[in-house]
Amino acid sequence: MDGNGRWAQQRRRPRMIGHRAGARAVNRTIDFCLERGVGALTLFAFSSENWGRPKDEVDALMKLFLGALDREVDELHRRGVRIRFIGDRSRFSSAILERMTRSEQRTSGNTSITLAIAASYGGRQDIAQAARVLAAQVAAGTLTVDQIDEQALARHVALADLPPPDLFIRTGGDTRISNFLLWQLAYAELWFTDVLWPDFDAGVLQQALDDYSLRERRFGLTSAQIAAATETASP
Ligand code: FPP
């Protein structure tokens, strides 16, 4: 969700005005995904590197998260949204932590969509954390070194219980992944737009989905193999 700061600067307003407009774009995006039957949506709200921003901006963003958690969770729950948070929770205030845990518990049985908020999240940190779990299992004697393979690691990264993401969208004009779900995005289709996050709406999201629908996903196989597999699946 990149471009909040520039959106505000273009209007000669403080950066936080852009973040607030960004929060409204979050609501629009969730609405659209619910309408279209998207099964899982993961939003990169705050990276492990974002803690290094000026203290005023970090504090104001934390206040925005807290307010959003207080305001939005009832309605999300009513609409069947299962909420979860991924990332390093150790740096959040107890007020935010408590609301994160409560909203996860409260919505855990919902099935309309899984909404994952990546907060204090970094893809490298995610993989390192999974490696630590496996190392601890080896140290405890419950796993052998030979048993460490892709499947074993995949079980311990964030969102391990969900299918891998199909589509990655980055707004704001930069064409990089910036330490988002590094492991999970291995075969995701990447889509970039110059649109700044606060201007993100159903039209732009539809463009991304239309473009996605034209992509051929080969997962390392050939076009002919994919065509044969598709024919077998739908005679
Ligand atoms: C990146 O734009 C955006 C962020 C670091 C914060 C994202 C937060 C929100 C969209 C608001 C609230 C979200 C939730 C889930 C309640 P930037 O500041 O890097 O923009 P710039 O590149 O133009 O400076």
Side-chain angles (χ1 to χ4, degrees), residues 108-191:
S108 62
N110 291 343
T111 53
S112 306
I113 188 173
T114 298
L115 170 67
I117 311 280
S120 190
Y121 177 85
R124 289 177 174 174
Q125 164 195 286
D126 189 2
I127 295 168
Q129 164 290 123
R132 242 185 345 264
V133 173
L134 297 182
Q137 291 177 353
V138 171
T142 55
L143 188 78
T144 66
V145 169
D146 289 347
Q147 286 170 323
I148 298 181
D149 55 12
E150 287 182 28
Q151 286 73 27
L153 204 123
R155 277 197 290 278
H156 298 287
V157 292
L159 310 177
D161 57 323
L162 296 178
D166 293 311
L167 175 62
F168 162 99
I169 297 175
R170 181 179 183 140
T171 58
D174 285 323
T175 45
R176 48 176 180 263
I177 293 175
S178 296
N179 205 15
F180 196 34
L181 303 162
L182 295 180
W183 177 276
Q184 298 85 339
L185 289 175
Y187 278 101
E189 295 296 326
L190 307 181
W191 195 81

Side-chain angles (χ1 to χ4, degrees), residues 1-6 15 19 22-23 45 50 53 64-65 68 197:
M1 300 190 285
D2 203 10
N4 294 350
R6 277 166 285 163
R15 291 176 60 82
H19 291 314
N50 286 154
R53 289 194 175 196
L64 182 65
F65 290 147
W197 175 254

Side-chain angles (χ1 to χ4, degrees), residues 36-223:
R36 301 298 301 271
V38 171
L41 170 69
T42 302
L43 298 171
F44 203 0
F46 195 81
S47 74
S48 37
E49 292 76 26
N50 286 154
W51 290 109
R53 289 194 175 196
K55 186 175 180 314
D56 284 357
E57 183 167 342
V58 172
D59 289 349
L61 272 170
M62 291 304 133
K63 219 168 134 193
L64 182 65
F65 290 147
L66 196 63
L69 283 165
D70 279 339
R71 262 191 329 272
E72 311 292 345
V73 172
D74 280 351
E75 178 61 12
L76 292 173
H77 182 43
R78 201 185 60 74
R79 302 180 75 184
V81 177
R82 179 168 70 143
I83 304 172
R84 64 165 65 169
F85 296 88
I86 60 170
D88 172 14
R89 297 187 188 205
S90 66
R91 298 180 73 173
F92 288 112
S93 69
S94 54
I96 292 186
L97 267 180
E98 188 252 327
R99 282 165 179 81
M100 280 176 163
T101 313
R102 194 148 37 103
S103 56
E104 283 178 330
Q105 285 167 350
R106 194 158 158 229
T107 63
S108 62
N110 291 343
T111 53
S112 306
I113 188 173
T114 298
L115 170 67
I117 311 280
S120 190
Y121 177 85
R124 289 177 174 174
Q125 164 195 286
D126 189 2
I127 295 168
Q129 164 290 123
R132 242 185 345 264
V133 173
L134 297 182
Q137 291 177 353
V138 171
T142 55
L143 188 78
T144 66
V145 169
D146 289 347
Q147 286 170 323
I148 298 181
D149 55 12
E150 287 182 28
Q151 286 73 27
L153 204 123
R155 277 197 290 278
H156 298 287
V157 292
L159 310 177
D161 57 323
L162 296 178
D166 293 311
L167 175 62
F168 162 99
I169 297 175
R170 181 179 183 140
T171 58
D174 285 323
T175 45
R176 48 176 180 263
I177 293 175
S178 296
N179 205 15
F180 196 34
L181 303 162
L182 295 180
W183 177 276
Q184 298 85 339
L185 289 175
Y187 278 101
E189 295 296 326
L190 307 181
W191 195 81
F192 298 93
T193 174
D194 288 337
V195 169
L196 303 176
W197 175 254
D199 291 327
F200 193 75
D201 61 12
V204 186
L205 190 40
Q206 187 60 52
Q207 268 176 38
L209 296 185
D210 289 346
D211 198 359
Y212 172 82
S213 71
L214 300 174
R215 307 262 181 110
E216 182 193 49
R217 305 188 74 196
R218 291 192 297 278
F219 302 95
L221 305 180
T222 66
S223 288

